[in-house]
Amino acid sequence: MEPNIKIVEINKNEWHVTDEDLCNNSEKVWKKLTSKEKAMRVLKLSSIIVFILLMIFAFICSLSLMADSLKLIGGRGIGSVIKSSNIIKNPVSASMVGMLITVVLQSSSTLTSVLVGMIAGGLITVHQAIPIMLGAEIGGSLSNVLISLTLSDNRDQFRRAFAAVTLSDVFNFLSYFIFLPLEMAFGLIEKTSGLLVLPFSRFKSEDIITLNLITDPIVHYIIQVNDDAINNLAISTINLSNYTNIDDTATFIFRCVNLTTHQHFSNCHHFHIFMYSTWSDLTIGIILFIASLITFTLFMFGIVKLMKELFAGNEIWMRKLVSKNFPKPFGFLTDYFLIIIGCVIVMIMRSSGVFRTVLTPLVGIGVVSLEKLYPLTIGGHIGTTFTSILAALTADPAKINETLQMALAQTIFNVFGALLFFPIPFMRTIPIHMATKLGNVVAKYRWFALVYILMVFVVVPSIMLNYHVVVDVFKKNQKRK
C-alpha cells in the first residue's frame, strides 16, 4: 500500500520577491563569462538601453502628438465648456469637470494653460479655478493604469504593477477628499498661495531647457498647431458665432494653403506633413489621435518588455542599489532624497506619467518596492507643477499675481498632501496599504482592473457631476414654487 502523501501548499509572500525568484533566468553570472561573452553581453545591454531611450522618446512624442490631436478635435470647446457652465460655481462639480477633461486629454498641462489664460483674461477667478485644478490632479493617471495591464499574464507581477499605478491614485484621492472640503470651508490653498505669490511676482520666465526641446522638432515635423490661437479663443469673451475669423474653413494648423481657394502660399516657412492639406482640423485631429493612440500602445508595451530584458540577470544588483540608505544617523533622510530625485526628474521630463511608466515594470518584477516608489511618486507630483508655473510666468504681466497664485496653488496642494501622508509613519502606510489591497484584488480577479478604470475615471465623476446638476435644478424649481 502506498503511503499517504500530504501535499502542503507554501504560503508565498507575493509582495517580497526573493533573490531566487527575482533572478530566475538561465544567464550565466558575470564572473563565469569568457571575455568574448562579456563583450557580447555589454553590447547587448548597451543596445537595449539605446532602444529603451528611443522608446521613451517616441512614447513622449506620441503623448505630445495625442495632446495636439485633441486640441484640434476639441480645443475650441475647452474654454467654452468651463466659462459658459454654471457647474463651476459648485466646487465639487467644478473639480469633476477638471477631472473629466484631464481624463480625456491625459494631460493636465493643456487644462492648466487654459485656466491660466482664463484667469489672465478675467473670465474666472483663482477661487473658481482651484477646484478645477484639484480635479485635474486626480484625472491624469489613466494611461499608467493601462500600462499595468501589460503585466497581467503573471498574477504576482500584475499585483505589484497595479498597486504601483494605483498608489498615485490613492494618494491623490485622499488628498482631494481632505483638502477640497478645507478649501471650501476656509480657503486654505487659496489663502496660502496668495501669501506665497508676493515674493515671486517680480520674476519672469525665460526659455528653460526641458525635454520638449528634443521632442518638439519631431512633433512639429508631423503637425504644427497654433496654440496661441486656440488659447485666445478659449479665453475670448466674443461669441464664437460672431467671431469673424472662425468659420467652416478656419484652421488652427499652420498651413501653406488657402482652404477656400486651395491656392498655395508663396514663401511659406511652415514645414510639416499637413502643411498643404485641405482637410479640416477635425479630420486631421482624428487621424492623428488614432495614429498616436496606436503608437502610444505599441511603445508602452515595448518599454515594459525591454525593461524586463534589460534587468534580466541584474535584478538583484539593481534592487540592492535602489534599496541603499544613507549611513547612520542620516538613514531617515534617504526617502526625502528620493522625493527630491523624483521632483527633479519630472521637472525635466515635464511628465509624471512618463516617469511612472518607467518605474511600473520595475515594481512589477520586484526590483523596486512600493515603499521606495512612494517617495518617488510624491516627488513626481510636486515636480509636475513646474509646467503650470511656467505657464503662469509667461502670461499677461498685468495678471501675474493671479496666474502665479493659481500655479502655486497646485504646488501647495501636492506639498500639503506630502506633509500629511509622508513624514508621519502611520499616515505614510495608509496609501501603501490601500494600494496593496487593490493589488491583491486585481491579482485574484483580473477583470477588476477594467471595473476600476470605469468606476474611477467615468462612473463616479459622472455621478458626482450629474448629482449636483440635479440638485441645482431641484433648488430652482423649489424657489419658483
Side-chain angles (χ1 to χ4, degrees), residues 167 171 322 324-326 331-348 352 355 359 368 370-386 411 414-424 428 431-432:
L167 180 61
F171 174 81
V322 298
K324 284 185 176 293
N325 294 322
F326 288 152
F332 71 96
L333 294 176
T334 304
D335 288 341
Y336 293 95
F337 178 72
L338 291 177
I339 291 178
I340 297 174
I341 292 295
C343 181
V344 172
I345 292 176
V346 173
M347 284 175 63
I348 296 173
S352 59
F355 182 52
L359 292 175
V368 179
L370 282 179
E371 289 74 16
K372 290 296 181 181
L373 175 69
Y374 187 43
L376 290 169
T377 299
I378 289 178
H381 285 309
I382 297 173
T384 197
T385 64
F386 180 65
T411 306
N414 285 285
V415 171
F416 279 176
L419 292 175
L420 180 61
F421 290 106
F422 193 78
I424 305 172
R428 184 187 303 190
I432 297 176

Side-chain angles (χ1 to χ4, degrees), residues 54-71:
L54 290 175
M55 284 279 189
I56 293 174
F57 173 77
F59 180 81
I60 297 171
C61 287
S62 66
L63 286 177
S64 180
L65 189 63
M66 184 179 292
D68 282 344
S69 68
L70 289 167
K71 289 176 186 177

Side-chain angles (χ1 to χ4, degrees), residues 200-208 389-400 403-404:
F200 296 97
S201 59
R202 67 174 68 98
F203 295 104
K204 291 294 292 179
S205 67
E206 303 294 338
D207 292 332
I208 299 178
I389 293 175
L390 285 182
L393 291 175
T394 55
D396 184 0
K399 290 283 187 177
I400 188 65
T403 56
L404 188 57

Side-chain angles (χ1 to χ4, degrees), residues 114-179:
V114 171
L115 289 175
V116 168
M118 294 179 72
I119 291 173
L123 300 181
I124 61 174
T125 64
V126 174
H127 179 77
Q128 293 173 318
I130 286 178
I132 301 174
M133 177 272 297
L134 296 181
E137 285 291 295
I138 59 177
S141 60
L142 175 60
S143 59
N144 297 107
V145 179
L146 297 176
I147 289 170
S148 68
L149 299 179
T150 61
L151 298 171
S152 59
D153 57 331
N154 183 302
R155 288 188 182 273
D156 287 335
Q157 291 187 7
F158 190 30
R159 181 198 315 274
R160 293 187 289 268
F162 192 79
V165 295
T166 54
L167 180 61
S168 173
D169 292 338
V170 170
F171 174 81
N172 281 330
F173 274 103
L174 288 174
S175 300
Y176 170 84
F177 285 117
I178 290 174
F179 291 110

Side-chain angles (χ1 to χ4, degrees), residues 24 44 47 68 348 379 398 458:
N24 57 1
K44 175 186 174 182
S47 301
D68 282 344
I348 296 173
V458 180

Side-chain angles (χ1 to χ4, degrees), residues 8-116:
V8 179
E9 183 178 353
I10 299 174
N11 185 17
K12 179 182 176 183
N13 187 339
E14 303 89 350
W15 294 100
H16 176 71
V17 184
T18 63
D19 289 349
E20 291 77 13
D21 291 333
L22 186 61
C23 189
N24 57 1
N25 59 83
S26 58
E27 292 195 26
K28 293 182 181 179
V29 180
W30 178 263
K31 295 180 180 179
K32 297 182 179 180
L33 296 177
T34 64
S35 299
K36 182 179 179 181
E37 289 174 333
K38 288 181 179 179
M40 293 300 295
R41 180 171 291 187
V42 170
L43 180 61
K44 175 186 174 182
L45 294 179
S46 301
S47 301
I48 292 175
I49 291 174
V50 170
F51 277 112
I52 288 176
L53 294 176
L54 290 175
M55 284 279 189
I56 293 174
F57 173 77
F59 180 81
I60 297 171
C61 287
S62 66
L63 286 177
S64 180
L65 189 63
M66 184 179 292
D68 282 344
S69 68
L70 289 167
K71 289 176 186 177
L72 295 176
I73 294 172
R76 303 181 186 191
I78 295 176
S80 60
V81 165
I82 295 174
K83 70 188 179 185
S84 63
S85 176
N86 292 326
I87 295 176
I88 65 169
K89 294 179 181 179
N90 185 297
V92 176
S93 57
S95 65
M96 290 300 101
V97 170
M99 179 182 179
L100 291 173
I101 291 177
T102 307
V103 166
V104 174
L105 297 180
Q106 275 304 289
S107 172
S108 59
S109 301
T110 301
L111 179 57
T112 300
S113 299
V114 171
L115 289 175
V116 168

